[in-house]
Amino acid sequence: MTPRQLLLTLCLLLCAQLAHSGPRIERWQTSAGTRVLFVENHSLPIIDVQIDVAAGSARDAAGREGVAGLTRSLIDLGADGLDETQIANRLADLGARLSGGVDLDRASLTLRTLSMVDKRTPAFELLRAIIAGPTFPADAFEREKARSLAALKEALTRPDAIASKAFWATMYPGHPYGRQATPESLTALRRQDVLDFHAAHYGARSATIAIVGDLSRAEAETLAERLSGGLPVAAAVGELPQPELPPAGAERIAHPAVQAHLLIGMPALKRGDPDFFPLAVGNYSLGGGGFVSRLVKEVRDKRGLAYSVHSYFLPLQQLGPFQIGLQTHKGQAAEALQVSRAVLDEFLEHGPSEAELLAAKQNLVGSFPLRLDSNRKILENVAMIAFYDLPLDYLDRYPENIERVTTAEIQAAFARRLPVAHLVSVVVAGD
């Protein structure tokens, strides 16, 4: 071992010792069948609560794409006799904040409130009212539908949005992950579609609750019972189907933009897969480590083909994508695509060097505590563990699982998850 490798190893061991203690997570299930994860933290007088439901955009029915996003955008705009202005004013009076969103797998509502009883009690009751009886006002529906339609039409003029939509459709033909809202599907939506989607997907048995902050276990249990009791009684939402890997292919879409947008990838990884850790460590060297990654060195530094280039894995409930992405001058698109594929092929054949492996581990383990340095970040991680039903010691063992990865495991995991016979590429605005 060279002196540099020895130094990196010692630094890695030191970082690991500092990073091994994750938050203490407690888990139980409410009487309504909702899974709850709780972290007690009295360092600040703040409580964060996140409710996730299996109501992401992959649950959109064919011809009704966009209904999941519209449902989530409307859910806190009217409830329990309150309109959106009254809800907003009440939150402001309490110093509370309601947020959230929707992705492919889940829709989320997140509440942050002060932990004093006179603040948290009405804030929790407001959250319960919103999830128990959203009214989906007709005027708000028409306004939000029009807003979503205008935003989509604008996005479809941009090469980055065009590339993303084509990329997902190419990776997931015939699968819910490949279905996306269109102007036609949004125009076809009616308020009843939102009501039906909410009734079918926002049920207690398809929900998870994550609680982090300044309250006791007993108080958290009472809160979780109150919140889950407000969720509709609906059958648990079934699992999404497993996607089939697409045939290798390349799609080129004309566009007048000067910059070409390139995407390369395929379905690769689901949450909870043991290959996650070898892939995470390997991807740092391939394209996730910024200026030290191979893609940046070959595409940007050596050839000047792009200002930035990245790669990442996005694990989902079913196989989420591996993606390489970059922008380049349209006259260089073919070369940039060829170089990126060559870098990937080389990595698939040989994997990272020992020096790259040590550097990746040092960064991933050393930066891990920054992922848990606030209540909000802890909540995000705990909510993810809750929704995807990961082990309670997932955060505790994360540094250990990173440390134990070998170059042979990386090569094997990349070979399993990225068979080149299924890689697809999309180029928008290339010559």
Side-chain angles (χ1 to χ4, degrees), residues 261-397:
H261 292 250
L262 284 69
L263 296 171
I264 305 167
M266 62 178 291
L269 183 66
K270 64 185 294 184
R271 283 287 179 190
D273 193 303
D275 276 342
F276 172 82
F277 293 100
L279 294 175
V281 176
N283 184 66
Y284 182 89
S285 301
L286 174 62
F291 291 111
V292 303
S293 71
R294 290 192 187 182
L295 281 168
V296 171
K297 289 177 181 177
E298 295 295 328
V299 175
R300 172 190 159 125
D301 297 348
K302 291 185 179 180
R303 296 171 178 84
L305 294 173
Y307 179 76
S308 66
V309 56
H310 67 265
S311 67
Y312 64 80
F313 289 89
L314 177 63
L316 295 170
Q317 188 178 79
Q318 293 296 344
L319 293 177
F322 164 77
Q323 176 180 306
I324 295 174
L326 63 101
Q327 299 176 40
T328 188
H329 188 275
K330 63 193 315 174
Q332 300 174 322
E335 182 184 1
L337 182 62
Q338 185 275 325
V339 172
S340 299
R341 277 298 309 267
V343 172
L344 176 59
D345 291 343
E346 167 70 15
F347 194 86
L348 288 171
E349 182 175 356
H350 299 292
S353 67
E354 288 298 327
E356 286 176 321
L357 178 67
L358 287 169
K361 290 181 179 181
Q362 181 185 29
N363 180 276
L364 293 172
V365 174
S367 64
F368 181 70
L370 298 179
R371 296 175 57 180
L372 301 171
D373 63 357
S374 70
N375 265 25
R376 183 56 185 264
K377 291 180 183 179
I378 294 172
L379 180 74
E380 290 171 354
N381 281 280
V382 172
M384 181 268 293
I385 292 169
F387 185 80
Y388 291 105
D389 199 18
L390 300 178
L392 284 188
D393 62 355
Y394 177 83
L395 297 175
D396 285 326
R397 298 191 62 190

Side-chain angles (χ1 to χ4, degrees), residues 38-60:
F38 169 56
V39 174
E40 188 170 349
N41 184 353
H42 300 287
S43 60
L44 293 171
I46 291 173
I47 301 170
D48 290 289
V49 181
Q50 181 163 321
I51 302 172
D52 288 319
V53 289
S57 60
R59 303 291 177 175
D60 290 344

Side-chain angles (χ1 to χ4, degrees), residues 152-351:
L152 176 59
K153 288 180 176 179
E154 190 277 329
L156 291 176
T157 67
R158 302 196 312 267
D160 58 334
I162 294 170
S164 177
K165 286 183 173 293
F167 185 60
W168 282 86
T170 303
M171 284 193 297
Y172 296 98
H175 189 270
Y177 283 163
R179 289 203 296 261
Q180 300 164 74
T182 65
E184 293 75 20
S185 69
L186 281 176
T187 300
L189 291 179
R190 300 293 179 261
R191 179 172 174 271
Q192 188 62 46
D193 294 316
V194 169
L195 295 171
D196 293 344
F197 185 86
H198 178 266
H201 295 87
Y202 281 70
R205 284 185 286 172
S206 295
T208 58
I209 299 174
I211 306 170
V212 176
D214 184 26
L215 72 174
S216 67
R217 164 69 183 260
E219 291 167 331
E221 288 183 1
T222 300
L223 169 61
E225 282 292 329
R226 183 78 175 145
L227 292 177
S228 65
L231 288 165
V233 178
V237 176
E239 285 196 4
L240 293 166
Q242 182 173 332
E244 295 183 5
L245 297 183
E251 182 173 0
R252 287 172 171 77
I253 302 172
H255 193 279
V258 174
Q259 286 285 101
H261 292 250
L262 284 69
L263 296 171
I264 305 167
M266 62 178 291
L269 183 66
K270 64 185 294 184
R271 283 287 179 190
D273 193 303
D275 276 342
F276 172 82
F277 293 100
L279 294 175
V281 176
N283 184 66
Y284 182 89
S285 301
L286 174 62
F291 291 111
V292 303
S293 71
R294 290 192 187 182
L295 281 168
V296 171
K297 289 177 181 177
E298 295 295 328
V299 175
R300 172 190 159 125
D301 297 348
K302 291 185 179 180
R303 296 171 178 84
L305 294 173
Y307 179 76
S308 66
V309 56
H310 67 265
S311 67
Y312 64 80
F313 289 89
L314 177 63
L316 295 170
Q317 188 178 79
Q318 293 296 344
L319 293 177
F322 164 77
Q323 176 180 306
I324 295 174
L326 63 101
Q327 299 176 40
T328 188
H329 188 275
K330 63 193 315 174
Q332 300 174 322
E335 182 184 1
L337 182 62
Q338 185 275 325
V339 172
S340 299
R341 277 298 309 267
V343 172
L344 176 59
D345 291 343
E346 167 70 15
F347 194 86
L348 288 171
E349 182 175 356
H350 299 292

Side-chain angles (χ1 to χ4, degrees), residues 12 87 143 192 423:
L12 179 62
I87 291 174
R143 185 190 70 223
Q192 188 62 46
L423 276 171

Side-chain angles (χ1 to χ4, degrees), residues 406-431:
T406 66
T407 54
E409 289 172 339
I410 291 172
Q411 280 186 269
F414 269 76
R416 279 192 295 270
R417 299 304 169 192
L418 299 180
V420 294
H422 300 283
L423 276 171
V424 302
S425 63
V426 171
V427 180
V428 175
D431 282 344

